Amino acid sequence: MRTDPAGSMSTIFESFKAKIFSDLHVGFLCKVINFDSGKCAADVQPLIRTTSDIPAIIQGAQVLAHRLSVNGGEPQVYKPLLKQGDVVFVVCADREIKNALNGSVAAASTGRQHDVNDAVVLGVLGCNLSS
């Protein structure tokens, strides 16, 4: 029996594509493990399993705050108040964010892309706010 070279190559490419996509982190649901209001950062546990192992906790993910003007009034800063167990949506930045957190244009120290070390908590899912 002959092996189809095109079929074998297709299988190799599909495996390679699956590996690349499994290492690419974009957006996912997490549970808050701990929230540091002073640093506005959270330790979060991804809730979707992509391997047979439980996903590792992401430590120190930055959490978005908001500056809003309500009814044309003076802008107010609203910082998040996350509780242990809250279900949040997290995204991973395209590049490393550490050197830009002070608001200055900066080069990344690493070549990381879509890495969980550059996770940002966007907010709590509305369905989770009832408690």
Side-chain angles (χ1 to χ4, degrees):
M1 179 176 212
R2 266 183 93 169
T3 304
D4 176 19
S8 297
M9 188 61 82
S10 176
T11 301
I12 290 169
F13 283 136
E14 285 301 316
S15 295
F16 183 62
K17 182 177 84 172
K19 172 67 175 143
I20 289 172
F21 286 158
S22 72
D23 290 342
L24 178 70
H25 305 285
V26 180
F28 44 91
L29 296 179
C30 291
K31 175 175 61 175
V32 174
I33 303 300
N34 184 45
F35 176 61
D36 183 332
S37 60
K39 293 181 180 177
C40 207
D43 299 337
V44 295
Q45 170 76 61
L47 293 175
I48 304 298
R49 187 188 307 248
T50 58
T51 67
S52 60
D53 297 325
I54 294 174
I57 292 174
I58 300 167
Q59 297 181 337
Q62 296 295 305
V63 181
L64 289 186
H66 299 280
R67 183 178 301 120
L68 303 172
S69 174
V70 178
N71 295 327
E74 288 296 314
Q76 298 290 316
V77 172
Y78 293 90
K79 290 189 175 184
L81 175 60
L82 300 182
K83 296 179 182 179
Q84 186 176 15
D86 279 348
V87 177
V88 294
F89 190 71
V90 174
V91 298
C92 293
D94 289 340
R95 303 272 187 232
E96 178 188 20
I97 63 174
K98 178 182 69 170
N99 294 342
L101 290 175
N102 66 3
S104 298
V105 175
S109 298
T110 68
R112 296 195 302 242
Q113 293 181 312
H114 297 280
D115 191 282
V116 295
N117 291 300
D118 302 303
V120 177
V121 177
L122 297 184
V124 179
L125 269 66
C127 62
N128 197 237
L129 290 172
S130 61
S131 56

